Amino acid sequence: MKRTSVCALVSGGLDSCALLADLARRYDRVHPVFVRQGLFWEAAELCALRRFLRATKLPDFVILDLPVRDLYGAHWSTTGQAVPGAQTRDDAVYLPGRNLLLLTKAAVFCAQNEIGTMALGSLGHNPFADATPQFFREFAKTAGLALGCRLRVIAPYRKLVKAQVIRRHRELPLHLSLSCIAPQRTVHCGHCNKCAERRQAYHLAGSADRTTYASR
């Protein structure tokens, strides 16, 4: 039996696109939300997300704005310069308060539209404090108190790694998604931390990587 409605925090990323397809099978109504923060890769992400949605006939999305340039300044995430490379650790791509900011904006959207559940595609190897089950529980409680409603945050992929997501969704055109922090126009750069993670995941999944990379 399908549940009623869910707000899906989406990007153009692989995990996000797979999650959106999963939610569409489990909920009567899915409300995809893209929070635009002024980050370098967002224009390419939006193109990828639109491509994926057209190909899968999944629900269209709403764009909400929450600029962070005043907080991050001349950071690699806003300039596209000196981005973490293929050999860097996961924590090299840390963006302060990323999920806190995204969920805060989405929580207000949910309260205004009477949606009780927010979903995001955080994976099991996400090392950051705002991607833990405890954070999601406490955030939902605090946001619900502030907004006068009941909210919950779900992260269905919290026990998975990217290779498992790829294996479970072989039928989806995941090559249309974009997981890159230094895209060249709408193409994966091929040498950043996120491109390396994507390539490795396809290798571990035993699936052909149909992604277009500007650099091999």
Side-chain angles (χ1 to χ4, degrees):
M1 182 179 296
K2 287 190 175 183
R3 297 169 181 144
T4 306
S5 62
V6 62
C7 169
L9 274 165
V10 296
S11 64
L14 186 151
D15 315 308
S16 174
C17 288
L19 176 64
L20 188 53
D22 276 344
L23 295 173
R25 289 191 285 263
R26 297 175 186 177
Y27 287 83
D28 291 316
R29 291 187 297 278
V30 181
H31 304 267
V33 169
F34 184 103
V35 180
R36 184 166 49 197
Q37 297 185 296
L39 303 178
F40 180 78
W41 55 84
E42 285 178 344
E45 263 194 338
L46 283 167
C47 287
L49 181 56
R50 291 186 178 106
R51 285 197 305 265
F52 182 81
L53 294 182
R54 282 197 300 269
T56 55
K57 297 181 172 58
L58 288 168
D60 202 1
F61 59 97
V62 171
I63 297 178
L64 303 177
D65 288 304
L66 186 62
V68 294
R69 187 176 289 272
D70 54 346
L71 292 171
Y72 292 176
H75 187 256
W76 58 263
S77 64
T78 60
T79 65
Q81 302 297 313
V83 302
Q87 304 303 316
T88 56
R89 294 159 47 97
D90 284 347
D91 55 13
V93 295
Y94 176 61
L95 296 177
R98 172 77 162 157
N99 283 341
L100 175 63
L101 293 168
L102 298 179
L103 285 168
T104 298
K105 192 81 175 192
V108 178
F109 174 86
C110 286
Q112 290 178 326
N113 291 277
E114 299 182 347
I115 303 167
T117 302
M118 294 179 285
L120 71 172
S122 290
L123 296 175
H125 58 75
N126 188 317
F128 307 130
D130 62 355
T132 64
Q134 180 184 2
F135 168 75
F136 294 142
R137 287 193 302 270
E138 295 297 328
F139 176 88
K141 180 179 177 181
T142 301
L145 180 64
L147 293 164
C149 61
R150 294 186 65 180
L151 290 172
R152 69 176 184 140
V153 177
I154 61 171
Y157 297 166
R158 193 64 185 84
K159 295 183 179 180
L160 302 179
V161 296
K162 194 179 292 289
Q164 290 173 301
V165 174
I166 292 170
R167 279 194 215 104
R168 292 184 180 197
H169 299 88
R170 293 180 190 273
E171 81 285 0
L172 294 176
L174 294 177
H175 64 285
L176 299 178
S177 65
L178 185 132
S179 311
C180 180
I181 51 179
Q184 298 187 18
R185 297 184 182 273
T186 60
V187 176
H188 288 75
C189 70
H191 53 73
C192 72
N193 173 288
K194 288 297 181 180
C195 282
E197 178 188 66
R198 184 182 178 105
R199 283 173 161 166
Q200 182 184 38
Y202 267 103
H203 174 73
L204 293 174
S207 295
D209 186 359
R210 296 167 58 200
T211 306
T212 299
Y213 298 97
S215 169
R216 286 284 172 182

